Amino acid sequence: MDVYRQELDYSVLSCLIDIAYKVSSVVSDAIPQSAADFKSFTINLLQFAAEKLGWDPIPGESHLNAMLRGQILEVLAQFGDEETKVEARRRFNSFLNDRSTTLLPADIRKAAYTAVMQNVTSSDKSGYESLLRIFRETDLSQEKVRILGSIASSPDSSVVREALDFSLSSEVRNQDAVFVLYGISKEGRETAWLWLKEKWEFISKKLGTGFLITRFITSVASPFSSEKKADEIQEFFSTRMQPSIERTVNQTIEQVQIRAQWVKHVQQQDGLVELLRELAD
């Protein structure tokens, strides 16, 4: 990954971002003392592209560059780049005061919303409440989806729980509820799993036997990476199995088991902690 520090191609950088999210999750579980170093490494890796693309649309740029700008800013915000978070909040506040401002075009709003949620806690939910206000005011389905995909990204698990409850409210269409699950923070994984178990009867009745219920299972259960959690998932669904979800449950358990093996492999490698500390500088 380190050799791509001056990469600007959409396909390459989009792939790198996807890999960064996955590796960050595994590093956090395998060698948690290096989680911050990996995030710093990723931030440094993307700085060149972030500076080239900037925050504002460039006349004549391709649609792919416009998409890439939002993706890069979002991962920078999520991985804790303070400069990105400050600028995102500045633009978000302008957007709150004037929905027609040019400071927050649609392609970077998800990044700004994610940045706002990084500072939302149970004692200060102003950013979360502002996002819900925008959600309720807009008639645009794309805007609602952007907000839903951001509101569970807070590192505060109680806020994640509130966002998950909101996803099942009458304000959110059934087919849109899953977008909240896509944005669950690392810190909110266990909260989401407990929530799914607690709400399972309600969720299964609400969503029926279609693809939506399988997305709920995959989104909440697959991010784990331990044999213990794989066993826990298997035990929970053993008495709730239906033909419509059996394949998804089995695939989810397999994904967790694969990630568990990845974690074990990482823990057995000598020098990774030192390497990540070196790359983070």
Side-chain angles (χ1 to χ4, degrees):
M1 293 171 73
D2 194 49
V3 302
Y4 290 97
R5 285 180 182 264
Q6 295 192 348
E7 182 63 57
L8 290 173
D9 182 81
Y10 170 82
S11 297
V12 176
L13 283 174
S14 183
C15 182
L16 277 173
I17 290 169
D18 185 47
I19 291 169
Y21 280 126
K22 292 176 181 176
V23 174
S24 176
S25 178
V26 169
V27 167
S28 296
D29 288 336
I31 42 176
Q33 69 271 30
S34 296
D37 284 338
F38 182 78
K39 289 181 178 180
S40 295
F41 161 67
T42 303
I43 290 169
N44 294 337
L45 178 69
L46 297 174
Q47 280 299 328
F48 178 80
E51 290 171 6
K52 288 291 185 181
L53 292 170
W55 282 84
D56 300 303
I58 300 170
E61 70 179 354
S62 69
H63 176 61
L64 290 179
N65 276 2
M67 290 172 57
L68 182 60
R69 177 181 294 108
Q71 288 184 31
I72 288 177
L73 292 174
E74 184 176 354
V75 69
L76 290 179
Q78 200 162 334
F79 278 22
D81 181 49
E82 198 58 39
E83 186 177 332
T84 301
K85 288 163 64 178
V86 168
E87 179 63 13
R89 289 195 295 270
R90 182 184 77 83
R91 289 171 179 260
F92 177 74
N93 289 333
S94 295
F95 182 66
L96 275 182
N97 295 325
D98 177 13
R99 298 289 195 273
S100 63
T101 181
T102 58
L103 286 176
L104 199 66
D107 61 317
I108 62 170
R109 278 183 205 158
K110 177 80 182 312
Y113 298 162
T114 300
V116 167
M117 287 303 301
Q118 301 312 296
N119 283 1
V120 172
T121 64
S122 53
S123 58
D124 181 7
K125 296 193 292 185
S126 57
Y128 174 73
E129 290 163 354
S130 294
L131 282 172
L132 290 189
R133 188 166 78 248
I134 297 170
F135 179 90
R136 287 163 178 148
E137 289 174 358
T138 185
D139 294 325
L140 299 174
S141 60
Q142 279 187 320
E143 186 68 5
K144 288 181 181 291
V145 166
R146 275 193 286 266
I147 293 168
L148 292 173
S150 308
I151 56 175
S153 63
S154 166
D156 189 312
S157 58
S158 64
V159 176
V160 173
R161 171 64 193 237
E162 191 168 336
L164 292 170
D165 285 341
F166 179 74
S167 74
L168 297 180
S169 72
S170 59
E171 294 187 70
V172 180
R173 299 184 305 174
N174 286 355
Q175 62 265 39
D176 290 343
V178 71
F179 290 108
V180 177
L181 309 182
Y182 295 160
I184 295 170
S185 64
K186 173 79 172 178
E187 297 83 357
R189 285 186 310 175
E190 187 63 31
T191 294
W193 170 238
L194 294 173
W195 171 85
L196 183 71
K197 292 193 292 182
E198 177 188 323
K199 300 281 188 179
W200 179 252
E201 296 304 321
F202 176 81
I203 292 171
S204 57
K205 288 179 182 177
K206 182 179 174 70
L207 301 182
T209 59
F211 73 97
L212 289 175
I213 192 72
T214 61
R215 288 191 179 185
F216 263 69
I217 295 168
T218 303
S219 301
V220 173
S222 65
F224 292 103
S225 52
S226 71
E227 292 287 351
K228 181 180 178 181
K229 188 60 69 175
D231 292 341
E232 188 179 325
I233 295 167
Q234 189 166 34
E235 181 182 356
F236 176 76
F237 283 108
S238 64
T239 57
R240 298 166 178 83
M241 193 66 75
Q242 299 289 336
S244 59
I245 65 170
E246 184 174 5
R247 182 180 179 185
T248 298
V249 170
N250 290 336
Q251 288 176 334
T252 298
I253 292 169
E254 184 179 9
Q255 287 178 42
V256 174
Q257 290 170 334
I258 290 171
R259 288 167 60 89
Q261 290 302 312
W262 191 4
V263 165
K264 288 180 183 177
H265 180 71
V266 169
Q267 290 172 334
Q268 292 167 0
Q269 301 304 305
D270 294 328
L272 275 182
V273 172
E274 292 75 15
L275 174 62
L276 283 169
R277 188 178 301 126
E278 189 179 309
L279 288 171
D281 293 334

